[in-house]
Amino acid sequence: MAHADTTALQAIQPVLRQLREIKGVREMKPGIFYIRGTAFAHFHQEGGVLHADLKKPGGSGFDRYPMATAPQHRKFVDDARLRAGRLDDE
């Protein structure tokens, strides 16, 4: 499945800004984020619906988040902050 393109990412610019502010998180390409050389978060558009994938705790695979509403955006960003802090502590 291909990553979301820049047009799809326009709808979540506030989310992207918040991810960029997390300590240790680097945006390698638009909408593709890494921590210490490891994939951390990225976005997909499937059937016109935008989703975020966030690295699972423990580092094995990704959890998928719908990105259709503001509460879903907040949940994703909150979880990203929490997980980035854990990875940064390792």
Side-chain angles (χ1 to χ4, degrees):
M1 174 184 323
H3 290 122
D5 62 21
T6 54
T7 302
L9 295 174
Q10 289 301 313
I12 58 164
Q13 285 302 310
V15 171
L16 299 178
R17 275 193 295 279
Q18 291 175 69
L19 287 176
R20 292 176 189 128
E21 293 172 356
I22 298 172
K23 180 184 174 197
V25 174
R26 290 186 51 212
E27 188 172 20
M28 303 304 280
K29 293 181 181 178
I32 301 173
F33 296 86
Y34 278 69
I35 291 181
R36 288 188 271 126
T38 301
F40 177 66
H42 53 268
F43 300 87
H44 297 281
Q45 188 170 19
E46 185 175 19
V49 177
L50 192 61
H51 298 277
D53 287 344
L54 181 63
K55 190 73 155 184
K56 286 185 177 189
S60 60
F62 290 85
D63 287 321
R64 175 151 287 189
Y65 291 76
M67 297 298 290
T69 67
Q72 291 169 336
H73 295 180
R74 281 191 297 277
K75 171 69 172 148
F76 170 74
V77 170
D78 289 347
D79 286 358
R81 286 184 178 130
L82 180 64
R83 292 180 191 187
R86 288 181 183 157
L87 286 172
D88 196 45
D89 290 340
E90 293 178 356

